[in-house]
Structure formats: structure tokens, C-alpha cells
Amino acid sequence: MMRPDQIEASFDEAVFVDGLPISDVSAGVRRVYDEGERSGAPFPVTRARMLAYALGNARLAVNKQDAFAGIVERHYLDSRYGVGEIARIQGERAEAVARRDFPEGFARTNSAWAEGRFFTQADLSHTSPDWDRLLAFGIPGLIAEAEQRHAANPTPFTESVVLACHAFRDFALRFAAVCNREGRHDLAATLDALAARPPETLHEALQLAILYWHVQETEGEWVRSFGIFDRQYLPFLERDLAAGRLTEESAEDMLVSFFALFHAESKGRDAGAPFCFGGYLPGEPLRDGSNRLTRLAWRAFRTLGTPSPKFSIRVNPDTPRELLRFAAECIQEGKNAMVFANEPLVRKAMLRRGKDPSDLANFIPIGCYEPAIMGKELSCTMQCVFNLSKPVEDLFADGAAAPATWEEAEARYFAALERDLREALAIARRWERAWNDINPSPMLSATMAECMERGLDVSQFGTKYATSGVVCAGLATAVDSLLAIRTMVFDRGMISFDDFRAVLLADWEGREDLRQFALRRPPKWGCGDETADALARRICDLAADLIEKAPSAKPGGFQMGLWSIDWCIGIGSNMKATPDGRHAGTPVSKNSGANFGCDAEGPAGVVGSLSRLDHARFPDGAVLDVMLPPRTIAGEEGAEFLVNFVRTLFARGGQFVHFNSLSPDKLREAQRDPAKYRNLQVRLCGWNVRFVDLDRAHQDWIIREAEGSGA
Amino acid sequence: MKIPVAAIRRLTLHDGPGTRTTVFVKGCPLHCRWCHNPECLSARPQLLFHDNHCAGCGRCAEACPHGAHISAPHAIDRSRCRLCGKCVDACWRGALEICGRDYTPEALLPILMRDADFYESGGGVTVSGGEPLLYAEAVARLFALLRGHGIRLVTSASGESAWKAAKCFVFGSAADAELTGDFDLSAISGARIKHLDNGNLELSVPGAFVVIVR
């Protein structure tokens, strides 16, 4: 078995033996695109041809010791490398569509973001194929279905799907030829088999997943879930064990090599490859599906200890305690690339949104912690990012009269919140139909049963469900700021509203005393304080009402999320100082938790506050970040505490939770001596990174979180 | 029947098995130099001063009707302090705090039950201090109330002067106490607990001990 660092090196030192340099692939993709546009070909067809060109010409490598064929030079997707032609074409088309169809809304979304107010987009990055169908059909099955549909009723969509599926098969065959050339006849045989039939062994099934991953991401959509891993691949493992092809030990080694590929590709510099585990099986009565493959995969995860892949566990009352305990021990070791999902709560949220009970067993977190139905849902979970704290800033806008009472101030906040949300949703709606013009996705659509039955691309909402997520960020900043105004201006009369405006405009300069009061004395979100919690509840209820009822181009409509990932840094950088003691330009609160340093009652207080919210109203996800000092979670008691914490939070109605255990001193030392802390990883938001790879702003943000410092 | 409480800490992991809430009572017959909870030595309420939060603004001195605060640099003349709390309210930075508030067992019950679901899988409530058995009857009453909700309990005691109270406490002979069941008494610092033929217990030498109520 190769060690993770050897796999990483094997990627970095890969000798490519086929295909063209990246710049030539990018130029070729552009040529195919230009020709398609010139000839007036339907864009989905052009898009499939671009895919075929990229897959046909990207450089490939295979090493003597590789367990899978998986090294593909595919930076043409990523504009960071200056050769991201597919990403560039997406960007150009998105802008052209927006300027054509809603120029004012497009201009407004840019100006609203510059104010830290909201951001809307056509979110192409939160998708998952139907892994069950992909594994059952294999490449030939997908081709056969596509050709049959195309023969029966030819459309640009069916033509694009046929082209994409053939490109998939040609890619497998080209990789097989490369393997043969390099003397890896074993891998070549696997790839040839996958071109001819569905996978039969675990190795074949995993190899197919790797190929598909490259194909879909080359098409232009990130694979934001690899499905419910232990359920999908168990039959393959069991067949191999029964036939004597694998032992548990050799299967575990294979899984280490498989998962390591995802780390080697990204080295923690993207949002991680997401794999889901556990949870209820289809059918009644409900039974948890954790199995021997769950244990093998988690052991492989622990062996690897890398930022990617990232794992999620669907937790229900029947989840084996030993699995949670194993996850807790990984966290103790700093291998914390994982999130826990409250399955019963997510099911409740999905039922509320009209999803069929029979589909709920296929719930997966898409991306970080956004629930969706695998293979049946187009979930653009970041269609809109909305800042709940911006309307507080508006209270202090130039020329706005000072509110006479707290009630008036509060009412004005809610009115501004409603105004902004309506505006953001109206623009987000215009983006919903744009995906089809930006990046039709025949490969992804080919895996989805309903897309094929209806003859519609995912971007035309061919899936059974289509939803748009509205990410609501900055709850703690909003609540704490409003209650600071109430306490300081109205209850204690410490400062007039107009003087407060001047203080905030000056970013608290000369008024550190007031800022310290704002940080330490008023009621705060996340302490179980009844006033703060009731206000948070009202904000969330209003936002959820508006979001759920907003007109949407999609059948599933808009749905609220209560999280921020690291958008809270970007949002904050565009905001003035806020009354909660926050300085201008600094991040607003993270995800659904308390402001750093304001959780005076510790995690129990945060859980108490969160339990006052109805998380079933956040079908786009809601996550709590828990930062604990390493000594707190050490030893037997620490591991049991983590398990107990997850169980209790979920019993009280929380939705997702993940953990960091970091010492601020160690993080500061890592800033000073990065080489020594090369492998120190942190759970940034919904993914893990190596701390030393973060920019200074992100590093300082994590240090503040670790030291619980709001100052 | 009251317990003077210095602090209530939630989700503690090192005051007994599992995830717990720990109540730190005020008052201790010992005055060990190494005491790590010195605010628990005196049974009376005290004004605590967090000097790392103090900016020396003098608002406490302005607010104090008794002249107990001296500013620049800040100091407290404790002989003048009447614990009225006006300085605490006046301090913008939360640098002052009154430590010590009396609770009846009934008033503590809902506070300790907030986190009852965290106690599952072996946790519970610990009464620490200070010396909990200075208030043996009240703590026994609190334990009886918590046991009524199935909460597992731990208390730790110095053993110096409270052994007699502890025996009352353990055997439920204190007024209002309804404790029955099994107890683990673990002696620390070299003391041994002897089970006597008459069913009573005896501590071989004075020393600290921990009572775990099953």
C-alpha cells in the first residue's frame, strides 16, 4: 500500500504520456466553443463537444504503483491557473445572459455585494449525480438509454447526452490505452471492462467513480457529493469477500488508495471531496444502514488523516454508538474533516417541503451541509447569500431619523430586512433560468432518471426536485447589534442614537470604553438568553416566511439556510462597524453560532439558544461550529463528551454540527514556523484545509475563534 | 435551607464521570495555600475583580456610595464594601462581579435540569466547592430532588470537619433528605474508609473523600 505522502508525490511528479499541454487543451475547448457558436449549433450540443474535446485531449498519467487510474491534468476548469477555459466561458456566458435578461438586477447584485448586503448567482457548484444509477447502468447502460431516447425523440438535449456518454466511454478507453502503454495491463483491463459493462467488483466500482468525477467536473459542475458510500458500495465489497477476491484488510488498503486520490488532487486547497455514511435504508420500518464497509472506510479515513476527502454521517437514534465514538477519536487526533447530520430533523424539513417519504433515504449533504435528494434534486444551495446584519447598519444610514423608541428601531430593522430579502430573491429568481444558457450539463443529466424520462437537462429542471438555497448569514451579529442598541441607547441612555451613529462611522475611534460595553454587557445570541433567543427566532421566522413564499422559477422554490461558510469574511469586509462592538471590515458571525468570545455559557448555552429555533425551517441547511480546547476533548471522557454532545444537540433539534479542537498558541506558532506545521489541519467552514495554506485574514479569523476572542 | 453558590459551570468533564454540571459552593473549613478556587473559601458573598478587563475608567468609584473603590490605579477597600452591586452595574467592561448567591435546593433544580439531556450516558450533577458538606442538609435535599429526576450525583468533600455531616448525608438521616440506594465513597490522600460491623462507616484518618451517588 502506498502511503498518503507517496500518493501525493505520485500526483505531483506524474509523467504525462498522452494528450496535450493544458494551454493547448484550453485553446481547443475555446475553438470548439467558437465553432459551435458560429455554426448556430444548439449550445447543449456544443457543450457536449467541448467536454469530448477536453476528455479526449487532457494529459493522463499512471504510475507503476497506482491502485487506480486517476491522474488527469484538468486545470482547464480552474481559472486560477490562467488556463481555465471552461470556467472562463461559464463566466462570460453568465455575464452575457444577465446583461441581456436582467441588466438592472445584475448591476444591483454587484452593488449589493459591494455593500455587504447580498449576493446572487447561478450556482452551478452544488450537484450530485445519481450514483446508484451510475453504478447499476455503467457507462454502456447510460449510452444505451441515451441512444434509445435520442432515437425515439431526437432533441438537442438527447443529442448532447449521447455525445457526453460516448465521451465518457472514449475517456475510459483512452485511459486504458495509456495504462497498457505504461505496462499497467491490470488497470487497463479494468478500464476496458468499464467501457463494456457495469462494474462488478469493488475496484471497478471505485474506478468508475473516479472516472465519473473527472468527467462531470470537466463538464463544468463540481461533484459535491459522492453519494452514500457505505450503502452504494457494500454489494461490491460483499461479492469480493465471498469470492475471495478481497479480504477486509486488502479492501481497507484499497480504500486508503482510493480516498488518497482526492487529497492528492487538491491537497486541501479546495472544498474537499464529500462522502456520506450511515443513515436509514430505504423502506419501512426504518433501519440504520451502517455496515462493515462503514467501518473499513472510516478506518481508511483515520489512516489517511488528510483534509480531503471529507466525511459526513447521517445520525439517527439507531446510529451505532461505536461509529460516533470512532469519529470522535478521529477528531481527538485532529482528523476532523467531518460533519454530523441530524437525519430525523432533515427528514422532517424535507417532508415539510413536499418531498416524497420514499425519497428521504437518499438524502445527502450536498457540498458542506445542504440536504438534497441524491439523483433526484437540482439543489443550487448558494443561489443567494444574504446578510441578516446589514439592515442594522441601515438604521444608522445618513439622513435616517433617529428612532424614538426601541420598538421603532426594531420595526425599522424588520422592514429593511424584508425589503432587502425581497429584492435579493427577485434577482436570484432571474438567475434560476440562466444555468441552461451558461452550462447545460448533459453528463450529469444522463445519470438522473427523471431528466432522461422528461427529456430535460438538469438546468431545465428535469430532475424530480429543483430548489434554490438562500444562505442567511450573520444572525449573531444582527441579534447582538440590535440588543446593543436597545441596551445602550434606550434602556440605559448611555448614548444618543445620533451619537452612536457617529461612533460607528468612526469605527469606535476614541470610544473603546463603549465598544467594550457593547462586547460584554448587552444580551447575546448563543447564551440561552431569552430576549436574544426570541429576537433570533423572529428574524429567522420572518426570513423563512419570505423565502418560502417568494416566487421562484423552480418547482421546489427557494429555501432558507442558516450558515455563512467563509462568506462572513467577505460580507464583513464590506461593512461598517456594528453596534455589537464589531470593527468595520472584520468578519460577521460564523454560521449559526455565537459571535466569537460571546458564548459566555459555553457550548451548552449555544445549544440552548439554537434549540429555540425551528431547524426544520432551514431546508438549505444550518450548522453549528464547536471549537473546544484540546484538553477538553482529551482522553476517554473527551471522546464520550463529543458523542454525547452530538446526540444531545440533535435531540434538541439542531441540524448539522462539526468540531475544531485547536490551541491558539499552536496556531500562532504555525504562523511563525509554517514548515513545522505543514500538516496541521483546521475545519474551516464545511471543509478542511491545512492551516499554513490559508491567507493571513483566514488564519487570524481561526485564531480568534480558537481563543474565543471578540475583541 | 440555602446553599451559597460561587458559580455553576455547564458541560464539565473533570468533576466526575461523563458530562456534568458542577455547582461550586462557597465556604470551606480549610484554607490550603494551593486552593485553586480561592473565591470559595469564604461562605459570604464577595466582590470579585477581573483586573485584565479593567481600563481604570473610575466609573465604579463614581457609582460606589461607600467609597470602597479607589481609582488610578484601581483598588478596592474591602472594609468599606457593602456588596450593594452598584459598581458591578456601573462597570462597562464587566470587570466586577459579586460572587456568592444563596439558592434554595428548589431554586437550583431547574437551573441544573437545563442540561439534563447532556447527562445521559453517565454524566450528572457534581456539587463541589468549597466544602459542600457545610450545607449537608441542603445538599442532601438538592440531591433528593435531582434523584427524583434520575440524575446521577457526585459530591466531593474535604473530610476535615464534615465527616459527621457526611455520614448523615449519606445515610439520609438529615432532615428532609430522602436519599436511599448505593453510594461509593472514595477516599483520597491516604485516608481509608472502614465499613464497621454495625453498618456504619469510619474514616481511618482525616482526609478528603468523594461521594458518588449511584
Side-chain angles (χ1 to χ4, degrees), chain A residues 492 520-521 601 644 652, chain B residues 10 89 91 93 117-118:
Chain A
R492 294 177 75 112
R520 296 174 198 280
R521 297 294 304 272
E601 292 281 307
N644 200 12
R652 291 208 202 166
Chain B
R10 304 167 76 178
D89 189 55
C91 178
R93 300 173 63 115
D117 42 3
F118 278 111

Side-chain angles (χ1 to χ4, degrees), chain A residues 37-358:
Chain A
E37 292 296 278
R38 240 191 334 269
S39 69
F43 185 51
V45 174
T46 302
R47 193 64 198 75
R49 290 191 176 125
M50 288 158 63
L51 172 69
Y53 182 88
L55 292 176
N57 291 284
R59 297 201 299 181
L60 308 175
V62 63
N63 291 310
K64 295 218 172 340
Q65 64 278 50
D66 286 355
F68 295 95
I71 305 178
V72 181
E73 196 178 38
R74 59 184 183 103
H75 295 316
Y76 41 80
L77 245 188
D78 193 331
S79 52
R80 278 179 305 180
Y81 296 91
V83 287
E85 211 54 35
I86 289 174
R88 243 200 308 269
I89 291 168
Q90 285 178 350
E92 286 167 16
R93 291 187 68 93
E95 189 171 336
V97 168
R99 287 194 190 285
R100 182 191 71 204
D101 293 349
F102 49 102
E104 285 173 15
F106 181 59
R108 177 59 186 142
T109 202
N110 288 333
S111 66
W113 177 247
E115 298 166 1
R117 198 175 294 278
F118 60 78
F119 172 71
T120 63
Q121 62 173 345
D123 175 16
L124 313 183
S125 70
H126 290 91
T127 64
S128 166
D130 188 336
W131 288 100
D132 286 337
R133 256 172 62 94
L134 180 61
L135 292 169
F137 282 36
I139 301 171
L142 294 180
I143 292 176
E145 187 187 27
E147 288 182 338
Q148 191 190 347
R149 300 268 177 202
H150 187 56
N153 180 23
T155 65
F157 168 71
T158 56
E159 187 182 351
S160 70
V161 173
V162 170
L163 285 169
C165 290
H166 277 287
F168 188 2
R169 183 170 63 188
D170 293 347
F171 179 56
L173 291 172
R174 186 162 80 89
F175 222 143
V178 167
C179 290
N180 270 327
R181 204 180 312 166
E182 294 301 299
R184 290 303 308 272
H185 306 297
D186 53 334
L187 287 180
T190 300
L191 293 163
D192 282 333
L194 289 174
R197 59 164 171 74
E200 290 174 357
T201 66
L202 182 62
H203 184 263
E204 288 174 2
L206 297 175
Q207 178 66 71
L208 181 64
I210 292 167
L211 288 180
Y212 180 81
W213 166 54
H214 284 302
V215 174
Q216 188 189 309
E217 297 208 342
T218 301
E219 179 171 88
E221 316 91 45
W222 301 111
V223 174
R224 297 321 296 147
S225 173
F226 283 80
I228 304 158
F229 187 83
D230 44 1
R231 201 178 82 194
Q232 282 163 202
Y233 295 94
L234 180 67
F236 298 100
L237 172 70
E238 289 191 326
R239 271 201 298 272
D240 286 352
L241 292 173
R245 284 189 293 267
L246 283 178
T247 62
E248 288 221 344
E249 291 71 30
S250 61
E252 193 180 323
D253 287 351
M254 187 193 290
L255 291 174
V256 171
S257 302
F258 172 71
F259 290 131
L261 266 175
F262 299 95
H263 168 68
E265 235 267 339
S266 69
K267 299 179 188 64
R269 285 190 295 262
D270 65 11
F275 290 81
C276 180
F277 293 86
Y280 289 126
L281 298 168
E284 297 279 346
L286 293 175
R287 276 190 311 121
D288 186 78
S290 309
N291 55 48
R292 65 203 304 186
L293 181 54
T294 322
R295 288 191 295 279
L296 292 181
W298 277 82
R299 287 218 295 261
F301 174 89
R302 193 173 190 170
T303 302
L304 266 180
T306 46
S308 183
K310 58 182 184 182
F311 279 17
S312 58
I313 312 180
R314 306 190 304 173
V315 180
N316 59 58
D318 300 324
T319 302
R321 193 171 178 86
E322 57 171 308
L323 174 59
L324 297 177
R325 176 60 195 248
F326 192 91
E329 288 168 11
C330 291
I331 292 171
Q332 287 180 317
E333 293 167 8
K335 298 163 184 171
N336 61 333
M338 70 181 81
V339 68
F340 301 84
N342 183 355
E343 187 174 25
L345 187 283
V346 169
R347 292 170 78 96
K348 184 176 160 198
M350 289 186 151
L351 285 173
R352 229 186 128 261
R353 298 295 292 166
K355 289 189 169 129
D356 283 345
S358 61

Side-chain angles (χ1 to χ4, degrees), chain A residues 321 492 494 511-514 516-518 520-521 527-528 601-605 607-608 631-634 637-638 640-641 644-645 648-649 651-652, chain B residues 8-14 16-19 52-53 57 59 87-95 113-123:
Chain A
R321 193 171 178 86
R492 294 177 75 112
M494 294 163 62
R511 293 314 306 266
E512 184 60 18
D513 56 343
L514 268 184
Q516 289 296 329
F517 184 95
R520 296 174 198 280
R521 297 294 304 272
C527 301
E601 292 281 307
V607 172
R631 67 175 183 282
T632 301
I633 63 158
E637 297 91 351
E640 283 298 305
F641 169 77
N644 200 12
F645 187 90
T648 306
L649 172 69
R652 291 208 202 166
Chain B
I8 297 170
R9 297 273 176 256
R10 304 167 76 178
L11 305 197
T12 56
L13 296 176
H14 305 297
T19 304
N52 55 331
H53 288 184
C57 68
R59 284 195 181 85
C87 59
V88 174
D89 189 55
C91 178
W92 283 17
R93 300 173 63 115
M113 287 302 293
R114 279 183 305 187
D115 294 327
D117 42 3
F118 278 111
Y119 310 153
E120 285 164 19
S121 73

